[in-house]
Amino acid sequence: ARAVLLACADPSETDRLRRQALVVFTRILKANLELAEPMWSETATLILSMAASTDVSASDVRCAALLLMCKLAERLSVRMASDDLALEALAAASEGERAVLSSEAQRSCSATLEALEAASSSSVPLRLRPRYVKLSLRGRLRKLRARWTAQRSGRPDLRLSVRADTLFDDILSQASRWDPASLQAARVRIAFDHGVDAGGLSRHIFTQFGAGLESVR
């Protein structure tokens, strides 16, 4: 793999050949992800140089290199999450003036970047993560909502049925049966015996539930 990519890095080689080589490597990984570790170890610098290229004429090569990185990240998320150059290349491809032209590649890069950031900084607040630290509060909220929307895609809403006199116990007994993974970015619908949920009731119910937690030992 290194020999092939070194040949592709030769200025005398055509962009078409470089792109074809990267596409072939991506297909190989789709068939056997076990090759991700040795491929990244041997060719990371070369792949990153093509993925971060600012040469407009080499946009197809850059796009192919980014898609190869996305496939590698499926196996090497923890390792690539600590690679600042990889994160920068994916971030540049996801948004801003240097976003890739292919909508498919842009979505793939954005999703991969989100996964790598989650792997490297799951305990770090969104406002402190490198990709968001310079954004305004409104910008961070916009991105957070976009992440929630993507994570909710295809998932059914979670439903709670609560009564005013047993509110705390109703929520606790029902929510304890949910798979914790299903709670990530979940939309919760509430059926309340004292009215129809239009937002205000949800806030009231969760406020009362939070107050009830104080009495739990």
Side-chain angles (χ1 to χ4, degrees), residues 51-72:
S53 174
T54 58
D55 186 353
V56 176
S57 65
S59 59
D60 287 345
V61 175
R62 178 181 174 227
C63 188
L66 288 163
L67 289 175
L68 175 57
M69 286 177 58
C70 291
K71 179 55 64 174
L72 287 162

Side-chain angles (χ1 to χ4, degrees), residues 34-78:
E34 295 292 334
L35 297 174
E37 180 70 40
M39 183 180 291
W40 184 249
S41 296
E42 290 293 318
T43 64
T45 301
L46 293 169
I47 294 173
L48 285 169
S49 67
M50 288 185 275
S53 174
T54 58
D55 186 353
V56 176
S57 65
S59 59
D60 287 345
V61 175
R62 178 181 174 227
C63 188
L66 288 163
L67 289 175
L68 175 57
M69 286 177 58
C70 291
K71 179 55 64 174
L72 287 162
E74 291 180 16
R75 181 76 177 187
L76 306 174
S77 59
V78 175

